[in-house]
């Protein structure tokens, strides 16, 4: 009997020892409120850019086109875009008709450039594209439109329009003159005034021709008299300016005070700038005159200056 009780106590003690080994003490149990949160394993992914397809601006220069009967004027459209695959630019004539304008119309299918989406490059994509057209007298007048279509990476098409105007210069050239062109002698001067008797006088001036008169012009590429018809594009009327007239003969004359008869003195020639100069001796008061006789293409002209002669001429 004693052996059985002893065996039962030993068994109970061994069970308690096993239980103590399997269950930790209370103080060793972690506090859920104070324990750190377990780390979550994160797999980093590339941060991609979201394409924002837009037409930023459409600029057209010039805004007003003035065409003339001869020649042409070029119009240029500049389109700035952001994040687009392709751009089409065309010009539309007034009332919706299409017209390529003779140069770079921009019509046709999308060229579908094979650029990757900007998201694959982690950034936006800016582009600038230009088209030009030549306008002349044959084009319609009125409000023209530059029409822009931009294909975005989302498959949508953005549209923008810009208007410019075409006008004609309807100024009609006046009829060509039937007679010779006008001339003048400008700045004629006889110096000094007064002058002592027997002293020298300086006679100088400039011979000029009408540069644009009744739509004729004087060609000054050479220092001689060359003529032709052409547009007086620097002026919108019958008149523009005077221009020098070189290598022409100018006669020098003298009219004594109280006389009615001119006396011929000499002939001088204008230089390449149309100027002339000579010296003469003055012995009595009177009027000194210069005269250009003209010819079949040039009208004559003249100028004069009165000089008073005083005292005498004393040789030292």
């Amino acid at each position: 009997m004693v052996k059985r009780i002893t065996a039962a106590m030993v068994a109970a003690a061994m069970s308690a020892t096993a239980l103590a080994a399997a269950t930790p003490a209370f103080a060793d149990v972690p506090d859920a409120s104070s324990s750190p949160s377990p780390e979550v394993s994160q797999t980093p992914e590339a941060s991609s850019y979201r394409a924002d397809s837009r037409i930023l601006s459409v600029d057209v220069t010039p805004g007003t086109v003035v065409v003339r009967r001869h020649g042409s004027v070029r119009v240029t459209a500049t389109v700035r875009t952001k994040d687009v695959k392709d751009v089409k630019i065309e010009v539309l004539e007034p009332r919706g008709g299409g017209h390529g304008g003779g140069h770079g119309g921009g019509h046709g299918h999308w060229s579908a450039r094979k650029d990757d989406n900007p998201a694959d490059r982690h950034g936006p994509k800016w582009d600038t594209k230009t088209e030009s057209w030549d306008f002349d007298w044959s084009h319609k007048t009125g409000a023209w439109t530059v029409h822009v279509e931009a294909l975005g990476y989302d498959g949508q098409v953005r549209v923008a329009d810009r208007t410019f105007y075409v006008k004609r210069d309807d100024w009609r050239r006046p009829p060509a003159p039937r007679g010779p062109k006008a001339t003048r002698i400008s700045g004629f001067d006889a110096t000094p005034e007064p002058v002592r008797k027997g002293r020298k006088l300086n006679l100088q001036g400039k011979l000029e021709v009408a540069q644009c008169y009744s739509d004729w012009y004087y060609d000054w590429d050479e220092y001689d008299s060359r003529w032709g018809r052409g547009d007086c594009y620097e002026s919108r009327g019958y008149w523009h300016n005077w221009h020098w007239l070189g290598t022409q003969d100018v006669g020098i004359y003298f009219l004594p005070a109280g006389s009615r008869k001119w006396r011929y003195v000499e002939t001088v020639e204008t230089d390449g700038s149309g100027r002339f100069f000579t010296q003469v001796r003055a012995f009595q008061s009177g009027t000194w005159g210069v005269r250009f006789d003209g010819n079949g293409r040039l009208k004559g002209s003249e100028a004069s200056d009165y000089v008073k002669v005083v005292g005498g001429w004393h040789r030292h």
Side-chain angles (χ1 to χ4, degrees):
M1 183 66 177
V2 174
K3 290 181 178 180
R4 291 180 180 176
I5 294 173
T6 303
M9 293 175 64
V10 171
M14 292 179 63
S15 298
T17 303
L19 180 60
T23 304
F26 181 78
D28 294 332
V29 176
D31 186 357
S33 63
S34 62
S35 63
S37 301
E39 293 185 1
V40 179
S41 176
Q42 294 182 348
T43 303
E45 296 180 356
S47 176
S48 61
Y49 170 79
R50 185 173 181 177
D52 180 19
S53 301
R54 283 189 292 165
I55 298 174
L56 299 177
S57 64
V58 180
D59 297 318
V60 180
T61 54
T64 300
V65 181
V66 180
V67 295
R68 295 178 172 83
R69 292 184 181 274
H70 304 286
S72 62
V73 179
R74 175 156 294 189
V75 176
T76 300
T78 302
V79 179
R80 296 175 178 84
T81 58
K82 178 175 178 284
D83 296 345
V84 299
K85 277 189 175 182
D86 199 10
V87 177
K88 286 198 304 186
I89 307 174
E90 59 183 351
V91 62
L92 305 178
E93 67 181 14
R95 299 182 182 178
H99 199 301
H103 179 79
H107 298 280
H109 301 288
W110 297 106
S111 59
R113 292 178 296 187
K114 298 180 180 179
D115 296 344
D116 294 332
N117 191 312
D120 298 333
R121 297 193 306 275
H122 313 291
K125 180 178 185 297
W126 288 275
D127 257 338
T128 299
K129 185 175 181 180
T130 61
E131 293 286 355
S132 296
W133 307 271
D134 291 328
F135 286 82
D136 55 33
W137 192 265
S138 66
H139 288 85
K140 289 184 178 180
T141 59
W144 288 66
T145 301
V146 172
H147 179 70
V148 180
E149 296 181 5
L151 177 63
Y153 285 96
D154 56 2
Q156 300 297 315
V157 176
R158 278 74 176 173
V159 176
D161 292 327
R162 180 69 68 187
T163 301
F164 65 97
Y165 298 89
V166 175
K167 298 180 179 180
R168 287 179 179 171
D169 183 354
D170 290 323
W171 175 76
R172 296 182 179 275
R173 292 176 297 195
R178 296 182 179 179
K181 291 191 63 175
T183 65
R184 74 172 185 177
I185 297 176
S186 65
F188 175 65
D189 195 17
T191 58
E193 302 180 54
V195 63
R196 287 190 174 277
K197 185 176 181 179
R199 294 289 181 90
K200 289 183 178 180
L201 274 177
N202 298 317
L203 306 180
Q204 57 187 341
K206 186 176 183 180
L207 179 62
E208 297 176 319
V209 62
Q211 183 177 335
C212 178
Y213 182 77
S214 295
D215 202 38
W216 274 34
Y217 69 96
Y218 182 74
D219 186 352
W220 55 87
D221 290 339
E222 301 274 345
Y223 285 156
D224 59 359
S225 304
R226 294 171 52 192
W227 295 84
R229 295 185 184 183
D231 295 338
C232 186
Y233 54 86
E234 296 182 71
S235 175
R236 296 301 179 86
Y238 285 74
W239 181 250
H240 175 56
N241 207 341
W242 293 98
H243 192 270
W244 49 258
L245 186 58
T247 64
Q248 302 294 321
D249 289 337
V250 175
I252 308 297
Y253 297 84
F254 178 65
L255 178 65
S259 174
R260 296 183 178 181
K261 184 176 181 180
W262 286 91
R263 302 175 183 174
Y264 169 77
V265 179
E266 63 175 322
T267 297
V268 296
E269 185 178 84
T270 60
D271 61 15
S273 64
R275 299 184 182 279
F276 60 87
F277 173 83
T278 189
Q279 289 183 324
V280 294
R281 293 192 181 276
F283 294 99
Q284 65 182 112
S285 299
T287 301
W288 291 90
V290 288
R291 187 176 70 191
F292 171 63
D293 291 330
N295 52 46
R297 299 174 302 176
L298 300 171
K299 290 182 179 180
S301 55
E302 59 186 33
S304 61
D305 189 17
Y306 180 83
V307 177
K308 183 179 180 180
V309 175
V310 295
W313 178 36
H314 302 284
R315 185 186 300 272
H316 294 286

